[in-house]
Amino acid sequence: MKSRTEDLERVRRLVPPETWAERVAVADRLAAVADRIESRIAGGEPERHAIRAEAPDDAETTWVARLRRYRADGRDGLVDRRAPKKPPKKLTPGLLATVRGLLAGRPELTSPQVQERLLALDINVSGTVVKRAMKELGLARPQGNPGHRRVQQVEPLDLAGAELLLGLDQVVGATSALAAELQAGLAALPPPSEPVRDDRANRDGRGRFKPAYNAAKKRTVPELGEKFDSVEQRRQGKNLPAMRTAQSSKASLSRKVVALTMLPCATDSARLDALGHWQGGAFEALVGVGYMPATLDKFARELKYAGMAQAAQDAVASFWLGRPSLLGEAPVQGAAVVYVDTSVSPLWTHHFSRCAKVARLGGRIMPATSTVFLHAGCGTPVLYKTWSGQVSLGAAVEDLLDRYEALGGDDTVQRLIVMDREAHAAWLFKALRDRAWDFIVPLKKSVVSAPDRFSKLTDWAPYGERGDEIRGGRLQLNDSKDRSDPMEVRVVGRRRHRTGKVAWYATLVEAEAFSDTAIIDLYFKRWPLQEHVFRDGNGRVHLDAHHGYGRQKVDNVAVLDRLDKLEGQARLMEARIEQGQTVAAAARVKATETAAAIAPVVRRIDVLRRELDVHVQRGEANTFLEKYATVRTLEDWVAPRLVAARAAEAAFAEAERAGEQARRRLEANEQDRLRLEKQRQVFTIDVELDQIMTAFKLTFMNLCGVFMTDYLGCQMQLDTLIRSVLTLPGERVRTATTETVRIWRQPRDRKVMPLVELACQRLNAKGLRRGERVLRFELADRLEVERPVADDSA
């Protein structure tokens, strides 16, 4: 046997000088790390901890082997001794399929016998190529007694089609970029500044739980249990750098990121619990580790405690925005187009929580979360932010655009944002103008209903093939925040042929850059590019699912404003009641005094009227005239005083009625106040975990988009892609040099199978490797094993 020195000298002669110098330099760096690890071990530190401290990015088992070689041979034991291999000859898929078919019925055939049968089929290849083909397929039969060696390892794959997506991810590096950003964020976690809660307390010497471990803890909020506390509260009692996720190696963290990204391939449920059933077995073969639901759930929750939502969002956005060609995005007439829209997801809870209007439920007002998404021009969602309750699109879009510019970098092309009618606000238009952003936004009917606001209108021109018409012009918009500074925008109107209704769209783009037709076309492209993509994601990827139910109470600003108004109304009602009482008392006094004053005069008039009747009967004309003049004088005196008395009575009744009405309104006001006092504080829902999970979902959606565009050469819904391609079964065949993912062909699906074969060929052309093996994909027919037929004649 050659010594290590002789072996090292042989390799040095075989490789180029620059390659050898590079290997020696790598060995020197590894030797320096090995020295530091040995120093830590000599100081009493466990080997595992020393390796973690000095080489956190490498697997522990790798350094155990390196240390063993370093202790035996020093620096020379760390030099790469792999000799260069001759480049392999090309094996066509047709040849591999033919060899596999020949060996399917006669597995005992040797390579010369296979070569003879190939010659009989007019396929002239050398014996070396045949041997390599049999090795590639894992069907080679070595001569002699191989002893304990295994020629091939065959593993069934329930999700062999999903291996194609993993191969694409290896090409583009989406999950590795996300894992790297998360690891960098975890490495920068600050040490705890407050006392840390000991999760391992209340155990005996053998690690068993004591009764006090399960004792009920004091609730932070009376309505909620401890596990529903907000992440802001639960984070305070944790030692974040000591969490399992923060101390995980790069390989372990990457595997879990891949697991959460590929989750839609294994289950159509939004919950991790589905992996606890039969679907978890298929997921284990795909990811490589049979993660239980609790493991992935703990991983996601620890990312939440570490505050990795922003890091996950930025990782997804920076990766995809930095690769516009990967998404197939191209400027539209020299402008970079983005689409922005809000998605509202209902939250079913009996707690009083922040609400929003849910359009999918008929405009129902209920507890919900709102997410604003920013889509690239090709429809790919790249940026997002979630709020508890309702959020104004105009208030949220500026922050998204700042992050877009920071992550996407400065661009020389024109930037154009397309939004829905919800973004109609003159102050927002001004903000976009100041940021040098152009926009296309449909206008509200209340603004375009006045014809005198328009100017420079063009004639109606045909649009499309259905008889619609368009026209352009200018429109003066009032700013609700600054009435003294109106804004003039360019508008384009579209009149429907069927209904005759006209819809107007505002923009800052001049007609020289984008015609009226281009403006309308660009706006309506958002439906297939944005709405369809997002709704497709809701269906199978569950973009609208909630994952975190932590919550905390905050002051309800709307209720506080309403309470202030009720308090002001109550003071007004009390003042009205007091004023009414004063008016009623004065009216009662005046009515009483007036009635007392005219009562004797009225009685005197009644006596005189009776006496007048007597004088008429007796014919005493002179006496009658004298007394009649007296009655008329008294009546003239009584008449205004009687009117004043009646007015005082009416004023008293009105004051009483107004006071009673004010008292009833005051009672109603008090009932409203008591009802709103219970709503003085409102629950706000945690959205950090939702935003972290959304990063994995968007990574999966974007990988699927690239896979369909660049490898399948067609577009389909995500659910169709998963069911027809990514969930195709097959097997994994490992040899000493090759790992082959063999996908079983589905004969009934004649449209998709040629596309899958094309995707296999395109991925094979990338020269992918998995570890030390060449990674290959192939589409093959499933071999049916003939089963013996039972003999019933016995």
Side-chain angles (χ1 to χ4, degrees):
M1 179 182 294
K2 293 183 179 179
S3 64
R4 289 185 179 271
T5 304
E6 294 174 348
D7 189 34
L8 196 64
E9 182 64 22
R10 179 184 64 84
V11 175
R12 187 185 66 80
R13 292 194 302 268
L14 292 176
V15 300
E18 58 274 9
T19 303
W20 178 255
E22 184 179 352
R23 292 187 180 188
V24 172
V26 172
D28 289 337
R29 291 195 297 270
L30 294 177
V33 177
D35 285 336
R36 295 197 296 270
I37 294 176
E38 292 290 357
S39 299
R40 286 177 175 268
I41 295 175
E45 191 171 346
E47 182 180 88
R48 179 181 180 184
H49 291 178
I51 293 174
R52 280 280 181 87
E54 297 296 338
D57 294 337
D58 297 334
E60 181 181 341
T61 55
T62 300
W63 269 102
V64 170
R66 287 174 178 171
L67 290 174
R68 184 165 54 248
R69 298 197 304 270
Y70 181 72
R71 291 162 183 162
D73 298 313
R75 193 284 311 272
D76 292 345
L78 300 177
V79 178
D80 187 358
R81 287 182 167 80
R82 291 177 298 176
K85 298 180 180 179
K86 296 181 180 179
K89 296 182 180 179
K90 184 177 180 181
L91 295 176
T92 63
L95 175 62
L96 292 173
T98 305
V99 173
R100 185 170 179 272
L102 291 174
L103 293 173
R106 299 286 300 279
E108 71 279 1
L109 294 178
T110 62
S111 59
Q113 294 171 335
V114 173
Q115 185 181 10
E116 292 177 2
R117 284 163 171 76
L118 288 174
L119 289 173
L121 298 173
D122 294 332
I123 302 176
N124 187 8
V125 293
S126 66
T128 303
V129 173
V130 174
K131 290 180 181 180
R132 289 187 56 248
M134 294 175 66
K135 281 187 177 182
E136 191 80 13
L137 295 171
L139 300 175
R141 296 176 58 83
Q143 299 294 325
N145 183 14
H148 65 278
R149 293 179 300 162
R150 297 186 62 184
V151 177
Q152 64 177 357
Q153 298 176 351
V154 180
E155 174 189 2
L157 290 177
D158 292 331
L159 299 174
E163 292 283 350
L164 296 171
L165 201 62
L166 287 181
L168 170 63
D169 179 52
Q170 187 176 341
V171 174
V172 302
T175 58
S176 59
L178 177 56
E181 290 293 332
L182 292 178
Q183 188 176 36
L186 292 170
L189 290 175
S193 58
E194 300 179 1
V196 178
R197 181 178 57 190
D198 186 6
D199 293 333
R200 301 182 181 181
N202 295 316
R203 300 194 187 193
D204 59 17
R206 299 176 62 182
R208 296 173 298 186
F209 294 116
K210 296 180 179 179
Y213 184 87
N214 293 320
K217 299 179 178 59
K218 184 179 179 181
R219 295 189 175 192
T220 307
V221 181
E223 298 95 327
L224 300 177
E226 184 195 20
K227 66 179 181 179
F228 292 106
D229 283 344
S230 172
V231 62
E232 300 294 338
Q233 299 165 344
R234 296 177 66 85
R235 183 182 291 150
Q236 296 174 359
K238 290 186 174 294
N239 185 0
L240 300 180
M243 294 189 302
R244 177 67 177 270
T245 300
Q247 294 189 345
S248 297
S249 64
K250 182 178 181 180
S252 176
L253 185 66
S254 298
R255 280 196 302 269
K256 291 177 181 177
V257 169
V258 171
L260 290 177
T261 302
M262 301 298 292
L263 189 64
C265 294
T267 172
D268 55 1
S269 172
R271 306 299 170 206
L272 295 173
D273 295 342
L275 296 180
H277 304 288
W278 60 270
Q279 292 169 321
F283 200 54
E284 178 179 356
L286 176 65
V287 178
V289 177
Y291 290 118
M292 295 300 290
T295 303
L296 295 179
D297 179 66
K298 182 179 180 180
F299 172 68
R301 283 187 290 109
E302 289 189 346
L303 290 178
K304 174 185 69 172
Y305 296 143
M308 291 293 104
Q310 189 67 49
Q313 295 174 50
D314 292 344
V316 173
S318 60
F319 180 83
W320 295 105
L321 286 175
R323 296 163 176 80
S325 60
L326 190 64
L327 298 174
E329 183 182 4
V332 179
Q333 298 183 19
V337 181
V338 296
Y339 299 92
V340 178
D341 199 6
T342 304
S343 174
V344 180
S345 301
L347 181 66
W348 303 96
T349 176
H350 63 275
H351 292 117
F352 180 66
S353 306
R354 284 181 172 172
C355 298
K357 184 178 181 180
V358 185
R360 75 183 73 169
L361 299 179
R364 178 176 179 178
I365 305 297
M366 62 177 297
T369 58
S370 300
T371 305
V372 178
F373 284 89
L374 186 148
H375 298 241
C378 56
T380 303
V382 290
L383 264 176
Y384 61 94
K385 189 173 182 180
T386 305
W387 288 265
S388 177
Q390 183 72 29
V391 63
S392 169
L393 180 61
V397 71
E398 293 189 74
D399 177 60
L400 285 182
L401 296 183
D402 287 339
R403 292 170 55 195
Y404 176 86
E405 293 175 347
L407 297 173
D410 295 333
D411 204 342
T412 57
V413 300
Q414 181 183 12
R415 286 174 170 172
L416 179 62
I417 181 172
V418 181
M419 293 179 286
D420 205 353
R421 185 172 283 105
E422 184 184 354
H424 176 184
W427 61 266
L428 176 60
F429 295 167
K430 292 180 181 178
L432 294 175
R433 179 190 59 190
D434 296 339
R435 294 169 177 266
W437 276 82
D438 291 322
F439 58 84
I440 301 177
V441 177
L443 298 175
K444 298 177 181 178
K445 294 181 179 179
S446 58
V447 174
V448 300
S449 58
D452 55 345
R453 293 186 178 182
F454 291 90
S455 61
K456 301 179 181 179
L457 289 175
T458 62
D459 296 332
W460 289 105
Y463 174 77
E465 300 177 354
R466 300 185 177 181
D468 293 351
E469 295 178 310
I470 59 173
R471 71 186 307 184
R474 312 292 295 185
L475 179 65
Q476 196 83 5
L477 296 178
N478 292 327
D479 187 354
S480 60
K481 294 185 177 182
D482 187 2
R483 295 286 183 179
S484 62
D485 184 19
M487 180 182 184
E488 186 179 76
V489 295
R490 175 192 172 193
V491 291
V492 180
R494 179 184 183 181
R495 182 165 62 186
R496 298 281 186 174
H497 169 69
R498 185 174 58 86
T499 62
K501 294 182 178 179
V502 180
W504 291 91
Y505 303 86
T507 182
L508 289 181
V509 186
E510 296 300 330
E512 292 77 11
F514 284 83
S515 64
D516 294 345
T517 301
I519 294 294
I520 300 298
D521 288 342
L522 198 57
Y523 175 77
F524 282 97
K525 280 183 179 179
R526 65 180 289 267
W527 294 100
L529 290 178
Q530 177 192 12
E531 294 288 344
H532 175 74
V533 172
F534 189 77
R535 293 177 184 179
D536 189 20
N538 282 350
R540 183 60 187 254
V541 186
H542 303 286
L543 278 177
D544 57 346
H546 289 284
H547 298 275
Y549 293 97
R551 60 198 70 195
Q552 61 179 338
K553 274 190 172 182
V554 297
D555 290 335
N556 192 345
V557 178
V559 171
L560 293 179
D561 291 344
R562 180 59 181 158
L563 286 174
D564 290 341
K565 292 181 180 179
L566 289 177
E567 184 178 354
Q569 292 174 0
R571 290 195 297 268
L572 179 61
M573 292 303 104
E574 290 173 352
R576 288 182 179 179
I577 291 174
E578 183 178 356
Q579 181 181 3
Q581 291 175 347
T582 303
V583 171
R588 174 60 70 183
V589 170
K590 184 175 182 180
T592 303
E593 292 177 350
T594 305
I598 64 177
V601 178
V602 172
R603 289 195 296 270
R604 177 58 180 165
I605 291 174
D606 291 338
V607 172
L608 290 176
R609 286 183 181 278
R610 288 194 294 272
E611 291 179 355
L612 287 176
D613 293 338
V614 174
H615 292 311
V616 171
Q617 293 176 359
R618 294 179 179 178
E620 299 174 351
N622 294 333
T623 306
F624 173 82
L625 292 175
E626 292 176 0
K627 291 185 177 182
Y628 178 75
T630 303
V631 169
R632 292 300 300 271
T633 302
L634 293 176
E635 287 178 346
D636 292 339
W637 183 85
V638 167
R641 288 166 178 74
L642 187 59
V643 171
R646 292 172 180 171
E649 288 290 342
F652 174 78
E654 178 63 23
E656 285 289 324
R657 185 189 63 78
E660 182 62 26
Q661 183 179 7
R663 279 189 290 272
R664 288 197 300 268
R665 292 183 61 181
L666 185 61
E667 292 176 359
N669 183 288
E670 179 65 18
Q671 293 177 359
D672 290 343
R673 190 189 65 80
L674 293 176
R675 176 178 58 82
L676 291 176
E677 280 292 342
K678 300 177 182 179
Q679 302 174 356
R680 179 181 286 269
Q681 288 188 314
V682 63
F683 281 108
T684 179
I685 309 299
D686 283 348
V687 296
E688 189 144 7
L689 184 56
D690 289 345
Q691 295 186 109
I692 292 173
M693 296 300 293
T694 301
F696 300 121
K697 296 173 183 178
L698 292 187
T699 301
F700 176 80
M701 290 179 60
N702 294 342
L703 283 174
C704 289
V706 176
F707 180 65
M708 288 185 287
T709 302
D710 295 346
Y711 290 85
L712 291 181
C714 73
Q715 293 294 324
M716 59 183 73
Q717 290 188 351
L718 285 178
D719 186 69
T720 304
L721 174 69
I722 293 172
R723 295 183 184 276
S724 61
V725 179
L726 302 185
T727 54
L728 288 173
E731 63 182 12
R732 190 198 316 272
V733 181
R734 289 191 180 97
T735 64
T737 59
T738 308
E739 177 178 337
T740 303
V741 176
R742 188 170 296 144
I743 304 171
W744 300 136
R745 187 189 309 272
Q746 297 299 322
R748 298 176 65 89
D749 198 346
R750 299 179 181 178
K751 293 183 179 180
V752 176
M753 289 304 105
L755 304 179
V756 176
E757 188 170 9
L758 177 62
C760 293
Q761 296 173 4
R762 290 177 173 176
L763 282 173
N764 290 337
K766 297 293 183 180
L768 300 178
R769 303 185 67 89
R770 185 168 287 174
E772 299 296 328
R773 297 183 177 92
V774 176
L775 180 61
R776 296 189 70 261
F777 302 92
E778 68 175 37
L779 184 68
D781 295 322
R782 185 197 296 265
L783 295 179
E784 298 294 341
V785 180
E786 295 185 2
R787 298 181 180 179
V789 180
D791 188 3
D792 297 334
S793 62

